[in-house]
Amino acid sequence: MFEAVVVELEFESVGVEPAFAREVSQIVGSAFCAAGSVTGFAAFAVVGASLVTVGGGLANICVGLSCVGLSARTSGIVVAWAYVVSFALRWVFGALPVWANLAFFACIPLVSVALCRKRLFSICGKLQHESPAEISIASPSSFVPFGHQLFISLVVFRFVYGYSLTFGEANRVPVVAFSALVPLCLVALFMVACRRALSPDGLFCVSLLFSVAGFLVLSVGSASRDAVASALLTAGAGAFEILMYYVLIQVGSRNLVGALSAFAWGNAMASWGTIFGALFGRMTNVACQNDGVLLSAIASCIVLALVAYMLFVVGEFRFSKTIEEVSPAPEVRVVERESGEQAFEDRLAQLAEDAHLTEREREVFGLLARGRNARYIQETLVVSYNTVKTHVSHVYAKLGVHSQQELIDVVESGA
């Protein structure tokens, strides 16, 4: 969640401050981690891990932004193999001493961002300085709302990932199911072999099948139950992780202005899902000690909840449709008329009357028709952000348009 707040605060000068915040978090956090490892003081380790995690989150956002603009097929291949390699590296790190792990943990995010720094700065230089929240008022179809099913699904499936981390853990240290690398490699190889772009909805089905299979295995009373369930759940969560970054990249490619906020919020929701899943898994471990029946019952309830979520919440939602519905944020030019002003005002008055706009809605309508943005309307009419948002949505609904540019076109044509 902190990553989203930091990125939004630094939005207007994005090319420098997020990178600076990331580097400071990594360096200071690594120092605290090292101090905690040497002294054995837990508080140092907690502070260090928190700061490094924030730096890693910002690094994820920066690397994701650098992939914006890649073709659908290329971005799918890049994301899939990047995840496979990062997952395989966990096995390598497990064989290294603690000091080496600390060094890699601190350096890899910095190196990753450094490798894509040129492309990242090129993309950030094209961003508008106006806040995405303000632009989304006048052009709602250009942005995916924070309460959209896309972000809700991130919480749900990262919950599964967090839950899988608690299987077989010792002293609250997760055991990574490296056998999940096999199905993840098959997914990545399929993307290379397939000549078409990645089907996000197809990958979502694969992720769902792995996840449901993992919970069903928990109901089988065998010694290897936890290992198999962990592998299946990890594979499902990994497939969804690939899907998450692929969709965020494609959404960002469709609308560069909203790319930063989409990546920040997506990472924040994924983090919350992992935290909730891990906490629930640990509570389950405590409650189900030597009680396989209770564990099976909990697994069955989770499967039932997933099925209910798919039937009653997801419904007709499609990842591919979400991507297609995102339209580029238009560059609206402020219209200043020295001649023909009366004719323009007459068209505004006629359209407002036909649409049955209220007095305040007419004022907002007139400013929108002249290309004014949300901040200008807010300051001119001395109203709150939410009030502007409400009035704009009412104006759009009554006029039957979906963006400020469509509204201007209607006024210009007099239709």
Side-chain angles (χ1 to χ4, degrees), residues 69-79 191 196-200 246 249-250 253 323:
L70 296 177
S71 68
R73 182 173 183 273
T74 301
S75 61
I77 294 173
V78 168
V79 171
M191 291 183 187
R196 295 182 299 175
L198 167 66
S199 168
Y246 173 79
I249 289 171
Q250 294 308 306
S253 299
I323 295 172

Side-chain angles (χ1 to χ4, degrees), residues 194-275:
C194 184
R195 295 186 177 182
R196 295 182 299 175
L198 167 66
S199 168
D201 299 309
L203 188 57
F204 175 69
C205 292
V206 171
S207 173
L208 182 64
L209 286 174
F210 278 132
S211 300
V212 171
F215 284 114
L216 290 177
V217 168
L218 285 177
S219 63
V220 179
S222 66
S224 60
R225 176 184 61 187
D226 287 355
V228 175
S230 180
L232 289 170
L233 289 173
T234 302
F240 193 83
E241 184 96 351
I242 295 170
L243 170 65
M244 177 186 90
Y245 281 103
Y246 173 79
V247 172
L248 291 177
I249 289 171
Q250 294 308 306
V251 167
S253 299
R254 299 273 296 184
N255 176 26
L256 187 59
V257 176
L260 185 60
S261 57
F263 271 102
W265 190 247
N267 276 272
M269 291 297 96
S271 298
W272 278 116
T274 303
I275 292 171

Side-chain angles (χ1 to χ4, degrees), residues 117-239:
R117 196 179 190 93
K118 184 177 180 181
R119 181 176 175 83
L120 174 65
F121 277 19
S122 174
I123 291 172
C124 290
K126 300 175 183 177
L127 294 176
Q128 299 181 23
H129 290 287
E130 190 176 355
S131 167
E134 294 172 356
I135 300 174
S136 66
I137 294 179
S139 184
S141 62
S142 300
F143 295 85
V144 180
F146 287 164
H148 195 274
Q149 190 59 238
L150 167 64
F151 297 115
I152 296 175
S153 64
L154 297 184
V155 178
V156 172
F157 279 83
R158 282 302 290 262
F159 175 92
V160 173
Y161 171 69
Y163 186 77
S164 70
L165 291 176
T166 62
F167 292 153
E169 66 176 6
N171 297 321
R172 296 199 170 187
V173 177
V175 177
V176 181
F178 290 108
S179 54
L181 191 60
V182 175
L184 291 175
C185 281
L186 292 176
V187 170
L189 287 171
F190 175 80
M191 291 183 187
V192 175
C194 184
R195 295 186 177 182
R196 295 182 299 175
L198 167 66
S199 168
D201 299 309
L203 188 57
F204 175 69
C205 292
V206 171
S207 173
L208 182 64
L209 286 174
F210 278 132
S211 300
V212 171
F215 284 114
L216 290 177
V217 168
L218 285 177
S219 63
V220 179
S222 66
S224 60
R225 176 184 61 187
D226 287 355
V228 175
S230 180
L232 289 170
L233 289 173
T234 302

Side-chain angles (χ1 to χ4, degrees), residues 80-121:
W81 281 106
Y83 186 84
V84 168
V85 171
S86 67
F87 192 86
L89 285 175
R90 299 180 194 180
W91 179 81
V92 177
F93 295 154
L96 298 176
V98 174
W99 65 266
N101 273 275
L102 285 174
F104 279 115
F105 192 49
C107 294
I108 286 181
L110 297 175
V111 173
S112 300
V113 175
L115 291 174
C116 62
R117 196 179 190 93
K118 184 177 180 181
R119 181 176 175 83
L120 174 65
F121 277 19

